[in-house]
Amino acid sequence: MGVIVYKCLNCGGPLEFKAESQKWECEYCLSDFSAEDMKRFEDEQKSQAVAEMDTETFEKEKGQEIEFVEKAKSYSCKSCGAEIVTEETTAATFCYYCHNPTIIPGQLSGDYRPAQVIPFQITKEQAEESFVQWCNKKPLLSKYFTLPSQLEKLSGIYVPFWLFDCDTLGSIDAEATKSRSYTRGNMRYTETKYYRVIREGKADYRKVPADGSTKMDERLMGGLEPYDYADLKDFSMSYLSGYLAEKYDLNQNDVYGRISDVIRQHTSSLLRQTIKGYGSVSIKDSSFNIKKVDATYVLLPVWMFTYQYKGKTYVFAMNGQTGKISGNLPISMKRAAAWFGIVTGASFLTMLIGGWVL
């Protein structure tokens, strides 16, 4: 079968997707191509590939996405076990989790082909600038993290997510109270009335996200939300040009329990908000029926910088669409001691000027 190669239609040079222009650009002749141009080119390549197949090969590969099967490559890190996905021309020289350089390419099954993708909107230069600004706001951080050699390891990664749609019917059974106090003679009384309150309602949920990677911290990914799903595009391997992608290791059934809990809690909260005018409300029972569940596998853009510092792993992540930042940073004990000394010295000087010393 013919391989779909993303080359410039004018000079034959390699094309790379650019977040700032949302186009595929050639660094050799400076030509650029839109999504419509790439789609038309892919269709032509597929038609040519199918035309060249014999009947036996066509039947064998019928139902598979030709582009993904032919182009997708899987990289496995021998150190931490991370698996990433990219198109065949993307250079993957280190693992973005542990920075181990020994990663081996292999063929990837079409089962891992996403349905949709949100392309990168934030460039690497913008991500680096935001990371440096973020670090500069942390006075106790080691200067090691903003060295040029470290910033080179900032990676654009498409993270696997499952987006769930479902319809939910929920009900809650609550006990509510109303109290009033009054005085009669020399006595003060408090009267409390108890009410049984029942609420039922229907809620339809669309595109509830759950990441599909065990290596991605749920809180970290949650800190990058929300994404604007209006920017979802039909998946094409061309969007991976110049980027990496995480291979999911949690399917929709694995993450459904997490989604179910979120939907139940949110539905319960919506119903609870309709109970008003009482002094107290206590939920005694609840019931939820989640149906018409459908999950879509998508890739969402993240700029990620994972780094090792004194035996611990720290992660900086940026939403590649909105620029929202999430992550954690270590404290440099030397800078902390110096900072404490400066603050203590300044406080002592202030006390001397004020005319008193503790």
Side-chain angles (χ1 to χ4, degrees):
M1 180 181 300
V3 175
I4 300 175
V5 181
Y6 297 102
K7 291 185 177 180
C8 177
L9 304 183
N10 295 326
C11 73
L15 294 178
E16 184 172 326
F17 180 74
K18 298 295 185 180
E20 59 269 32
S21 65
Q22 295 294 289
K23 292 184 177 181
W24 287 260
E25 299 181 3
C26 174
E27 295 183 356
Y28 290 90
C29 69
L30 304 182
S31 298
D32 58 64
F33 303 91
S34 67
E36 290 75 18
D37 295 331
M38 299 301 293
K39 181 66 167 58
R40 185 168 56 254
F41 176 60
E42 288 178 6
D43 291 342
E44 292 173 355
Q45 291 288 296
K46 290 178 183 179
S47 298
Q48 181 180 354
V50 171
E52 294 174 353
M53 293 183 205
D54 56 39
T55 303
E56 181 179 355
T57 304
F58 179 82
E59 290 298 328
K60 180 180 180 180
E61 299 189 1
K62 185 178 180 180
Q64 292 184 335
E65 171 55 57
I66 299 171
E67 171 203 21
F68 190 75
V69 173
E70 292 291 329
K71 295 285 291 181
K73 296 294 182 181
S74 174
Y75 292 78
S76 298
C77 176
K78 297 294 185 180
S79 178
C80 71
E83 292 193 56
I84 57 177
V85 183
T86 183
E87 51 93 34
E88 63 183 5
T89 61
T90 298
T93 57
F94 65 90
C95 172
Y96 55 81
Y97 281 115
C98 68
H99 293 183
N100 191 309
T102 57
I103 45 182
I104 310 301
Q107 197 66 36
L108 192 69
S109 166
D111 293 339
Y112 291 92
R113 185 187 189 281
Q116 293 179 300
V117 58
I118 293 181
F120 274 86
Q121 308 286 327
I122 305 295
T123 67
K124 184 174 184 179
E125 290 73 22
Q126 291 171 328
E128 287 181 353
E129 182 180 355
S130 295
F131 176 68
V132 172
Q133 291 176 353
W134 188 56
C135 289
N136 289 339
K137 296 178 182 178
K138 315 291 182 180
L140 304 185
L141 177 69
S142 170
K143 294 182 179 179
Y144 163 83
F145 292 98
T146 54
L147 292 177
S149 60
Q150 293 301 308
L151 293 177
E152 290 177 358
K153 297 176 181 178
L154 185 69
S155 301
I157 302 161
Y158 284 106
V159 177
F161 272 80
W162 295 97
L163 299 183
F164 282 81
D165 297 341
C166 67
D167 298 340
T168 305
L169 180 64
S171 66
I172 57 174
D173 193 336
E175 180 182 81
T177 64
K178 287 183 178 180
S179 300
R180 72 182 184 96
S181 298
Y182 60 92
T183 302
R184 182 174 296 171
N186 295 326
M187 298 294 293
R188 183 169 182 80
Y189 299 89
T190 298
E191 177 186 73
T192 301
K193 293 183 179 181
Y194 292 83
Y195 302 85
R196 183 185 181 189
V197 182
I198 297 175
R199 292 288 189 270
E200 291 184 352
K202 179 182 178 182
D204 298 338
Y205 293 90
R206 298 294 178 264
K207 294 181 174 56
V208 182
D211 71 88
S213 171
T214 56
K215 284 191 170 293
M216 293 294 181
D217 186 284
E218 291 181 26
R219 292 176 299 175
L220 182 71
M221 292 297 101
L224 298 180
E225 296 176 8
Y227 283 86
D228 183 357
Y229 298 119
D231 286 341
L232 279 169
K233 310 291 185 183
D234 290 338
F235 177 77
S236 167
M237 280 297 296
S238 55
Y239 285 113
L240 295 190
S241 183
Y243 300 96
L244 306 174
E246 174 77 7
K247 175 182 175 182
Y248 79 78
D249 55 4
L250 294 173
N251 61 35
Q252 61 266 46
N253 295 325
D254 295 327
V255 301
Y256 177 70
R258 193 194 317 166
I259 289 292
S260 176
D261 289 341
V262 170
I263 290 174
R264 291 170 188 271
Q265 292 172 10
H266 190 263
T267 304
S268 177
S269 177
L270 290 176
L271 294 172
R272 169 63 181 83
Q273 291 173 20
T274 68
I275 304 177
K276 301 177 181 179
Y278 298 95
S280 68
V281 177
S282 176
I283 306 298
K284 298 300 182 182
D285 193 17
S286 61
S287 176
F288 303 95
N289 181 18
I290 303 175
K291 56 184 180 179
K292 296 183 180 179
V293 180
D294 183 52
T296 303
Y297 174 39
V298 304
L299 295 180
L300 302 182
V302 176
W303 285 106
M304 184 172 290
F305 181 25
T306 305
Y307 38 90
Q308 305 287 333
Y309 185 71
K310 295 187 176 181
K312 294 184 179 181
T313 301
Y314 298 88
V315 180
F316 163 84
M318 171 186 283
N319 184 314
Q321 179 196 39
T322 68
K324 188 176 181 182
I325 292 174
S326 180
N328 59 335
L329 291 168
I331 293 177
S332 168
M333 298 310 296
K334 289 183 179 179
R335 298 195 72 180
W339 181 82
F340 179 77
I342 293 173
V343 172
T344 303
S347 299
F348 182 71
L349 179 60
T350 300
M351 288 186 289
L352 286 177
I353 295 174
W356 55 278
V357 180
L358 291 177

PDB file of all heavy atoms in Angstrom, residues 131-150:
ATOM      1  N   PHE A 131       6.452  30.041  30.489  1.00  0.00           N
ATOM      2  CA  PHE A 131       7.115  29.233  31.511  1.00  0.00           C
ATOM      3  C   PHE A 131       8.144  30.057  32.276  1.00  0.00           C
ATOM      4  O   PHE A 131       8.224  30.001  33.507  1.00  0.00           O
ATOM      5  CB  PHE A 131       7.779  28.016  30.867  1.00  0.00           C
ATOM      6  CG  PHE A 131       8.572  27.177  31.828  1.00  0.00           C
ATOM      7  CD1 PHE A 131       7.941  26.460  32.824  1.00  0.00           C
ATOM      8  CD2 PHE A 131       9.945  27.124  31.742  1.00  0.00           C
ATOM      9  CE1 PHE A 131       8.669  25.684  33.720  1.00  0.00           C
ATOM     10  CE2 PHE A 131      10.690  26.354  32.626  1.00  0.00           C
ATOM     11  CZ  PHE A 131      10.041  25.630  33.614  1.00  0.00           C
ATOM     12  N   VAL A 132       8.940  30.845  31.539  1.00  0.00           N
ATOM     13  CA  VAL A 132       9.951  31.683  32.194  1.00  0.00           C
ATOM     14  C   VAL A 132       9.281  32.708  33.103  1.00  0.00           C
ATOM     15  O   VAL A 132       9.727  32.943  34.235  1.00  0.00           O
ATOM     16  CB  VAL A 132      10.838  32.379  31.137  1.00  0.00           C
ATOM     17  CG1 VAL A 132      11.754  33.396  31.802  1.00  0.00           C
ATOM     18  CG2 VAL A 132      11.663  31.347  30.376  1.00  0.00           C
ATOM     19  N   GLN A 133       8.206  33.340  32.650  1.00  0.00           N
ATOM     20  CA  GLN A 133       7.482  34.304  33.469  1.00  0.00           C
ATOM     21  C   GLN A 133       6.908  33.642  34.710  1.00  0.00           C
ATOM     22  O   GLN A 133       6.926  34.217  35.808  1.00  0.00           O
ATOM     23  CB  GLN A 133       6.357  34.948  32.649  1.00  0.00           C
ATOM     24  CG  GLN A 133       6.851  35.865  31.539  1.00  0.00           C
ATOM     25  CD  GLN A 133       5.722  36.408  30.692  1.00  0.00           C
ATOM     26  OE1 GLN A 133       4.561  36.007  30.843  1.00  0.00           O
ATOM     27  NE2 GLN A 133       6.039  37.326  29.787  1.00  0.00           N
ATOM     28  N   TRP A 134       6.406  32.434  34.546  1.00  0.00           N
ATOM     29  CA  TRP A 134       5.853  31.666  35.674  1.00  0.00           C
ATOM     30  C   TRP A 134       6.950  31.389  36.702  1.00  0.00           C
ATOM     31  O   TRP A 134       6.746  31.543  37.903  1.00  0.00           O
ATOM     32  CB  TRP A 134       5.243  30.375  35.136  1.00  0.00           C
ATOM     33  CG  TRP A 134       4.466  29.564  36.120  1.00  0.00           C
ATOM     34  CD1 TRP A 134       3.400  29.967  36.868  1.00  0.00           C
ATOM     35  CD2 TRP A 134       4.678  28.180  36.446  1.00  0.00           C
ATOM     36  NE1 TRP A 134       2.926  28.914  37.635  1.00  0.00           N
ATOM     37  CE2 TRP A 134       3.696  27.817  37.382  1.00  0.00           C
ATOM     38  CE3 TRP A 134       5.595  27.222  36.015  1.00  0.00           C
ATOM     39  CZ2 TRP A 134       3.608  26.531  37.910  1.00  0.00           C
ATOM     40  CZ3 TRP A 134       5.504  25.943  36.528  1.00  0.00           C
ATOM     41  CH2 TRP A 134       4.526  25.609  37.474  1.00  0.00           C
ATOM     42  N   CYS A 135       8.133  30.983  36.210  1.00  0.00           N
ATOM     43  CA  CYS A 135       9.255  30.683  37.108  1.00  0.00           C
ATOM     44  C   CYS A 135       9.750  31.946  37.809  1.00  0.00           C
ATOM     45  O   CYS A 135      10.140  31.895  38.987  1.00  0.00           O
ATOM     46  CB  CYS A 135      10.399  30.035  36.326  1.00  0.00           C
ATOM     47  SG  CYS A 135      10.077  28.354  35.765  1.00  0.00           S
ATOM     48  N   ASN A 136       9.745  33.070  37.099  1.00  0.00           N
ATOM     49  CA  ASN A 136      10.238  34.310  37.698  1.00  0.00           C
ATOM     50  C   ASN A 136       9.380  34.774  38.869  1.00  0.00           C
ATOM     51  O   ASN A 136       9.837  35.554  39.709  1.00  0.00           O
ATOM     52  CB  ASN A 136      10.305  35.412  36.633  1.00  0.00           C
ATOM     53  CG  ASN A 136      11.425  35.181  35.640  1.00  0.00           C
ATOM     54  OD1 ASN A 136      12.386  34.453  35.923  1.00  0.00           O
ATOM     55  ND2 ASN A 136      11.319  35.784  34.467  1.00  0.00           N
ATOM     56  N   LYS A 137       8.150  34.307  38.923  1.00  0.00           N
ATOM     57  CA  LYS A 137       7.261  34.656  40.030  1.00  0.00           C
ATOM     58  C   LYS A 137       7.489  33.764  41.250  1.00  0.00           C
ATOM     59  O   LYS A 137       6.851  33.958  42.284  1.00  0.00           O
ATOM     60  CB  LYS A 137       5.802  34.552  39.585  1.00  0.00           C
ATOM     61  CG  LYS A 137       5.421  35.541  38.497  1.00  0.00           C
ATOM     62  CD  LYS A 137       3.977  35.352  38.062  1.00  0.00           C
ATOM     63  CE  LYS A 137       3.607  36.309  36.943  1.00  0.00           C
ATOM     64  NZ  LYS A 137       2.206  36.100  36.471  1.00  0.00           N
ATOM     65  N   LYS A 138       8.406  32.787  41.105  1.00  0.00           N
ATOM     66  CA  LYS A 138       8.711  31.861  42.194  1.00  0.00           C
ATOM     67  C   LYS A 138      10.113  32.175  42.718  1.00  0.00           C
ATOM     68  O   LYS A 138      11.110  31.652  42.203  1.00  0.00           O
ATOM     69  CB  LYS A 138       8.640  30.406  41.714  1.00  0.00           C
ATOM     70  CG  LYS A 138       7.425  30.088  40.849  1.00  0.00           C
ATOM     71  CD  LYS A 138       6.136  30.132  41.626  1.00  0.00           C
ATOM     72  CE  LYS A 138       4.958  29.753  40.713  1.00  0.00           C
ATOM     73  NZ  LYS A 138       3.673  29.783  41.413  1.00  0.00           N
ATOM     74  N   PRO A 139      10.257  33.032  43.740  1.00  0.00           N
ATOM     75  CA  PRO A 139      11.579  33.474  44.182  1.00  0.00           C
ATOM     76  C   PRO A 139      12.445  32.362  44.765  1.00  0.00           C
ATOM     77  O   PRO A 139      13.658  32.509  44.833  1.00  0.00           O
ATOM     78  CB  PRO A 139      11.251  34.529  45.256  1.00  0.00           C
ATOM     79  CG  PRO A 139       9.879  34.176  45.735  1.00  0.00           C
ATOM     80  CD  PRO A 139       9.168  33.639  44.534  1.00  0.00           C
ATOM     81  N   LEU A 140      11.824  31.249  45.169  1.00  0.00           N
ATOM     82  CA  LEU A 140      12.599  30.174  45.788  1.00  0.00           C
ATOM     83  C   LEU A 140      12.953  29.063  44.804  1.00  0.00           C
ATOM     84  O   LEU A 140      13.466  28.021  45.208  1.00  0.00           O
ATOM     85  CB  LEU A 140      11.818  29.584  46.968  1.00  0.00           C
ATOM     86  CG  LEU A 140      11.391  30.593  48.053  1.00  0.00           C
ATOM     87  CD1 LEU A 140      10.734  29.871  49.206  1.00  0.00           C
ATOM     88  CD2 LEU A 140      12.575  31.407  48.536  1.00  0.00           C
ATOM     89  N   LEU A 141      12.693  29.276  43.532  1.00  0.00           N
ATOM     90  CA  LEU A 141      12.960  28.263  42.523  1.00  0.00           C
ATOM     91  C   LEU A 141      14.409  28.339  42.056  1.00  0.00           C
ATOM     92  O   LEU A 141      14.965  29.424  41.882  1.00  0.00           O
ATOM     93  CB  LEU A 141      12.023  28.463  41.326  1.00  0.00           C
ATOM     94  CG  LEU A 141      12.224  27.517  40.141  1.00  0.00           C
ATOM     95  CD1 LEU A 141      11.814  26.113  40.524  1.00  0.00           C
ATOM     96  CD2 LEU A 141      11.427  27.998  38.939  1.00  0.00           C
ATOM     97  N   SER A 142      15.019  27.170  41.831  1.00  0.00           N
ATOM     98  CA  SER A 142      16.377  27.127  41.302  1.00  0.00           C
ATOM     99  C   SER A 142      16.405  27.689  39.890  1.00  0.00           C
ATOM    100  O   SER A 142      15.499  27.458  39.085  1.00  0.00           O
ATOM    101  CB  SER A 142      16.886  25.674  41.279  1.00  0.00           C
ATOM    102  OG  SER A 142      18.103  25.584  40.571  1.00  0.00           O
ATOM    103  N   LYS A 143      17.453  28.472  39.576  1.00  0.00           N
ATOM    104  CA  LYS A 143      17.612  29.046  38.243  1.00  0.00           C
ATOM    105  C   LYS A 143      17.863  27.973  37.182  1.00  0.00           C
ATOM    106  O   LYS A 143      17.798  28.247  35.985  1.00  0.00           O
ATOM    107  CB  LYS A 143      18.775  30.044  38.244  1.00  0.00           C
ATOM    108  CG  LYS A 143      18.515  31.269  39.112  1.00  0.00           C
ATOM    109  CD  LYS A 143      19.678  32.231  39.039  1.00  0.00           C
ATOM    110  CE  LYS A 143      19.415  33.480  39.880  1.00  0.00           C
ATOM    111  NZ  LYS A 143      20.550  34.419  39.825  1.00  0.00           N
ATOM    112  N   TYR A 144      18.110  26.758  37.627  1.00  0.00           N
ATOM    113  CA  TYR A 144      18.378  25.633  36.731  1.00  0.00           C
ATOM    114  C   TYR A 144      17.246  25.425  35.728  1.00  0.00           C
ATOM    115  O   TYR A 144      17.470  25.052  34.582  1.00  0.00           O
ATOM    116  CB  TYR A 144      18.586  24.380  37.578  1.00  0.00           C
ATOM    117  CG  TYR A 144      18.473  23.065  36.857  1.00  0.00           C
ATOM    118  CD1 TYR A 144      19.549  22.540  36.146  1.00  0.00           C
ATOM    119  CD2 TYR A 144      17.291  22.325  36.906  1.00  0.00           C
ATOM    120  CE1 TYR A 144      19.444  21.327  35.498  1.00  0.00           C
ATOM    121  CE2 TYR A 144      17.181  21.106  36.254  1.00  0.00           C
ATOM    122  CZ  TYR A 144      18.255  20.614  35.554  1.00  0.00           C
ATOM    123  OH  TYR A 144      18.154  19.412  34.908  1.00  0.00           O
ATOM    124  N   PHE A 145      16.016  25.711  36.135  1.00  0.00           N
ATOM    125  CA  PHE A 145      14.852  25.360  35.322  1.00  0.00           C
ATOM    126  C   PHE A 145      14.665  26.261  34.100  1.00  0.00           C
ATOM    127  O   PHE A 145      13.969  25.890  33.168  1.00  0.00           O
ATOM    128  CB  PHE A 145      13.596  25.379  36.180  1.00  0.00           C
ATOM    129  CG  PHE A 145      13.587  24.290  37.203  1.00  0.00           C
ATOM    130  CD1 PHE A 145      13.975  24.537  38.499  1.00  0.00           C
ATOM    131  CD2 PHE A 145      13.224  23.002  36.861  1.00  0.00           C
ATOM    132  CE1 PHE A 145      14.003  23.523  39.430  1.00  0.00           C
ATOM    133  CE2 PHE A 145      13.245  21.984  37.780  1.00  0.00           C
ATOM    134  CZ  PHE A 145      13.640  22.242  39.080  1.00  0.00           C
ATOM    135  N   THR A 146      15.260  27.434  34.093  1.00  0.00           N
ATOM    136  CA  THR A 146      15.092  28.339  32.955  1.00  0.00           C
ATOM    137  C   THR A 146      16.339  28.416  32.078  1.00  0.00           C
ATOM    138  O   THR A 146      16.445  29.299  31.229  1.00  0.00           O
ATOM    139  CB  THR A 146      14.712  29.750  33.439  1.00  0.00           C
ATOM    140  OG1 THR A 146      15.680  30.202  34.399  1.00  0.00           O
ATOM    141  CG2 THR A 146      13.334  29.745  34.085  1.00  0.00           C
ATOM    142  N   LEU A 147      17.279  27.494  32.277  1.00  0.00           N
ATOM    143  CA  LEU A 147      18.457  27.447  31.413  1.00  0.00           C
ATOM    144  C   LEU A 147      18.020  27.064  29.992  1.00  0.00           C
ATOM    145  O   LEU A 147      17.096  26.266  29.808  1.00  0.00           O
ATOM    146  CB  LEU A 147      19.459  26.421  31.927  1.00  0.00           C
ATOM    147  CG  LEU A 147      20.155  26.732  33.259  1.00  0.00           C
ATOM    148  CD1 LEU A 147      21.056  25.570  33.666  1.00  0.00           C
ATOM    149  CD2 LEU A 147      20.961  28.018  33.149  1.00  0.00           C
ATOM    150  N   PRO A 148      18.657  27.618  28.965  1.00  0.00           N
ATOM    151  CA  PRO A 148      18.294  27.283  27.584  1.00  0.00           C
ATOM    152  C   PRO A 148      18.319  25.779  27.312  1.00  0.00           C
ATOM    153  O   PRO A 148      17.488  25.260  26.578  1.00  0.00           O
ATOM    154  CB  PRO A 148      19.350  28.023  26.758  1.00  0.00           C
ATOM    155  CG  PRO A 148      19.744  29.190  27.621  1.00  0.00           C
ATOM    156  CD  PRO A 148      19.693  28.662  29.029  1.00  0.00           C
ATOM    157  N   SER A 149      19.277  25.075  27.917  1.00  0.00           N
ATOM    158  CA  SER A 149      19.373  23.630  27.697  1.00  0.00           C
ATOM    159  C   SER A 149      18.159  22.891  28.243  1.00  0.00           C
ATOM    160  O   SER A 149      17.785  21.821  27.746  1.00  0.00           O
ATOM    161  CB  SER A 149      20.649  23.080  28.356  1.00  0.00           C
ATOM    162  OG  SER A 149      20.634  23.326  29.757  1.00  0.00           O
ATOM    163  N   GLN A 150      17.535  23.447  29.278  1.00  0.00           N
ATOM    164  CA  GLN A 150      16.333  22.830  29.840  1.00  0.00           C
ATOM    165  C   GLN A 150      15.095  23.182  29.020  1.00  0.00           C
ATOM    166  O   GLN A 150      14.217  22.350  28.809  1.00  0.00           O
ATOM    167  CB  GLN A 150      16.150  23.279  31.287  1.00  0.00           C
ATOM    168  CG  GLN A 150      17.213  22.769  32.239  1.00  0.00           C
ATOM    169  CD  GLN A 150      17.272  21.243  32.268  1.00  0.00           C
ATOM    170  OE1 GLN A 150      16.269  20.580  32.459  1.00  0.00           O
ATOM    171  NE2 GLN A 150      18.463  20.712  32.076  1.00  0.00           N
TER     172      GLN A 150
END
